[in-house]
Amino acid sequence: MRNTIFFLIIHILALTSSAEVKTYGNGVSDQAQPIRISELNANPGSYVDRRVKVIGLVDDICPMMGCWVDILEKQSSKTIRLKVQDGVIVFPAEARGEKIVAEGTLREYILSKDQTISWLKHEAVERGLPYDESLDPEPMTFYQIEGTGAVVGQLN
């Protein structure tokens, strides 16, 4: 009887602790070493088209579809966006502020002026904000991680 109660308690504790951590997509591998977000921001060309793993806090989440998260590195206050395939992985709004370990391929996006305007309009729509038509933005380049998976929650 004691053994049965012991195993029941262990099982309940395992279920309780696993509820604190959620895996999205393929999760993260043990092979990839984490790279600091500040390092990715400082030297993105060194990592473009390479598999990367980052650790930080969920700073912002796509309010429309949960298809991206901005990951904050607290030490440097730098962020990087993890973009996942629409509808394949969906990050819930409740993940904001949680610890995240994310993995994927760093991509470079070089936009023309028209593409930049389109991108900024899209960002405004996602956030429910008006786009200021008087803006005359320059072409832009940005980097984001094409995510394959993440683990979010009360991680060690």
Side-chain angles (χ1 to χ4, degrees):
M1 180 74 165
R2 277 190 178 164
N3 285 343
T4 304
I5 293 172
F6 174 76
F7 286 114
L8 183 59
I9 291 171
I10 295 296
H11 183 68
I12 290 170
L13 288 174
L15 289 175
T16 303
S17 65
S18 67
E20 296 175 351
V21 175
K22 177 111 170 100
T23 300
Y24 296 88
N26 296 331
V28 293
S29 68
D30 291 333
Q31 291 93 7
Q33 290 296 315
I35 299 167
R36 294 209 38 200
I37 293 170
S38 56
E39 169 63 17
L40 285 179
N41 285 333
N43 301 299
S46 299
Y47 299 98
V48 169
D49 297 328
R50 289 183 46 200
R51 188 158 208 73
V52 296
K53 181 181 357 181
V54 295
I55 300 171
L57 296 176
V58 176
D59 189 49
D60 200 6
I61 300 172
C62 171
M64 301 287 282
M65 298 178 62
C67 62
W68 56 259
V69 295
D70 287 339
I71 302 170
L72 170 70
E73 178 183 82
K74 284 179 67 173
Q75 301 92 326
S76 67
S77 298
K78 300 292 184 186
T79 62
I80 190 131
R81 180 161 290 178
L82 175 77
K83 172 69 173 96
V84 296
Q85 216 174 353
D86 292 353
V88 175
I89 299 173
V90 178
F91 293 99
E94 298 80 37
R96 184 175 278 113
E98 294 286 336
K99 187 168 181 185
I100 182 170
V101 180
E103 191 170 336
T105 303
L106 186 68
R107 300 290 188 208
E108 177 182 49
Y109 295 89
I110 302 170
L111 305 181
S112 68
K113 183 174 181 167
D114 287 341
Q115 290 170 323
T116 298
I117 291 169
S118 179
W119 171 260
L120 294 173
K121 284 181 179 179
H122 174 76
E123 285 278 306
V125 167
E126 276 189 338
R127 296 179 186 285
L129 300 171
Y131 176 74
D132 183 352
E133 294 291 338
S134 69
L135 291 177
D136 189 23
E138 294 295 317
M140 66 186 258
T141 298
F142 68 94
Y143 301 88
Q144 68 183 15
I145 300 170
E146 186 179 282
T148 55
V151 178
V152 176
Q154 300 298 319
L155 306 165
N156 295 332

